[in-house]
Amino acid sequence: MMTKERIGFSPDHWDRTIAPMMARIDTRVGNLLRAPIWSHDGGLQDNSRERWFQHGKDEAAISALYYIHYPNDLPKDVKLEDILFGYAVHDIGKSEVSPDPTIWHRKRTDLTAPELAALQNHVTTAVTLLKRYEYISGETLPNVMYEIVTRHHEKLDGTGNPNHLIGDMLSPVVRLAAVIDQVVSRCEPRSYHDRSFTLKEAMEEVAKGSGTAYDPEVITKVRNLFMNDVHLQIPTLTWLGSWK
Ligand SMILES: [Fe+2]
Ligand SMILES: [Fe+2]
């Protein structure tokens, strides 16, 4: 039985520090959406592309909650806003998988071979899109953003992808991104699984990889955050439901 460490939350702190960052990230995501970097319309009528960014922004909000509660885990040389931006765009490559918005709901076995290949290559595609954006806009995107985009599917034991990095090759920022992404993805209706998990089920499923695929300390801290239902204080995260 896991013990629950008490965690508090100050809406005022969120409003003063995180909300303005999220607003600026919204603007940056809007710039990406409007930039001529895309190969198809991304299911414009169904906001399919925006849904991938919402998936990212939900994870950005969770990581912000994490760093509020565990400020010592924030790297000294990296801005929190750049980390949050990295989360917001981490699956930008999936926006290029298919212009068909039903891809969100189809099972993995129902995806076409090109769709499946594109899905598996979404990390590489993301870098292409972001580099294209840098070239067109003249803007330099932060290194930590690229780190999250390229490494959020890597695992400590080398079983992740695309580069099978291991152990210390994965920074604390990426170790956190890997866990948050896996938990949130399981709670969403996706082509990867037959049904969405409850938050508790998703967390426990991911926790099975604690110490092998995922950093055990990160697993414990993220679980604590969710066990305290801190995410329910953020309107965009209430869809995750309560821990119970
Ligand atoms: Fe991904
Ligand atoms: Fe993701």
Side-chain angles (χ1 to χ4, degrees):
M1 183 71 182
M2 286 296 303
T3 49
K4 183 166 126 181
E5 175 197 336
R6 281 221 168 277
I7 283 175
F9 176 77
S10 155
D12 189 49
H13 177 69
W14 181 274
D15 289 348
R16 271 186 292 106
T17 62
I18 307 299
M21 288 186 200
M22 298 299 260
R24 285 192 291 272
I25 287 164
D26 261 344
T27 303
R28 294 172 89 174
V29 166
N31 292 340
L32 280 165
L33 279 166
R34 286 187 298 276
I37 58 174
W38 309 96
S39 65
H40 58 68
D41 72 9
L44 274 185
Q45 287 179 333
D46 299 275
N47 297 327
S48 181
R49 182 166 290 143
E50 282 86 343
R51 282 186 76 172
W52 285 117
F53 282 110
Q54 188 56 50
H55 160 71
K57 285 189 277 186
D58 286 346
E59 293 186 15
I62 294 168
S63 99
L65 287 171
Y66 180 94
Y67 286 118
I68 286 173
H69 292 97
Y70 303 108
N72 291 337
D73 288 5
L74 189 64
K76 302 280 174 279
D77 54 342
V78 181
K79 283 195 223 158
L80 176 58
E81 187 164 333
D82 288 343
I83 293 176
L84 303 190
F85 183 52
Y87 275 91
V89 303
H90 79 273
D91 272 337
I92 188 174
K94 286 188 180 171
S95 296
E96 289 282 78
V97 170
S98 170
D100 178 1
T102 68
I103 197 160
W104 266 85
H105 304 292
R106 280 185 279 144
K107 289 182 187 171
R108 199 178 187 97
T109 46
D110 292 335
L111 300 181
T112 64
E115 284 172 343
L116 200 55
L119 193 62
Q120 283 161 348
N121 289 331
H122 75 277
V123 166
T124 315
T125 306
V127 175
T128 304
L129 288 167
L130 293 164
K131 289 290 177 192
R132 203 178 277 165
Y133 176 78
E134 284 190 316
Y135 180 79
I136 289 168
S137 68
E139 192 182 325
T140 302
L141 297 173
N143 288 337
V144 72
M145 180 221 67
Y146 277 110
E147 198 186 350
I148 292 169
V149 167
T150 57
R151 299 186 173 185
H152 67 273
H153 288 297
E154 300 288 354
K155 293 174 180 165
L156 287 181
D157 57 5
T159 58
N161 59 72
N163 293 313
H164 307 289
L165 303 179
I166 56 165
D168 290 346
M169 298 170 90
L170 299 170
S171 72
V173 169
V174 173
R175 292 171 186 221
L176 177 62
V179 170
I180 292 177
D181 188 43
Q182 287 299 313
V183 175
V184 172
S185 299
R186 280 170 170 75
C187 295
E188 291 171 343
R190 290 284 192 94
S191 54
Y192 314 99
H193 40 242
D194 290 337
R195 68 175 183 93
S196 305
F197 288 60
T198 66
L199 180 60
K200 189 174 183 178
E201 287 171 340
M203 187 70 236
E204 295 312 333
E205 180 76 11
V206 176
K208 289 178 186 168
S210 179
T212 50
Y214 307 111
D215 187 320
E217 191 183 325
V218 170
I219 291 278
T220 301
K221 288 176 173 173
V222 172
R223 189 198 266 123
N224 260 323
L225 212 55
F226 287 137
M227 283 171 92
N228 280 275
D229 280 338
V230 177
H231 57 284
L232 296 181
Q233 306 288 330
I234 312 300
T236 54
L237 295 178
T238 52
W239 69 269
L240 278 167
S242 86
W243 178 259
K244 291 184 185 74

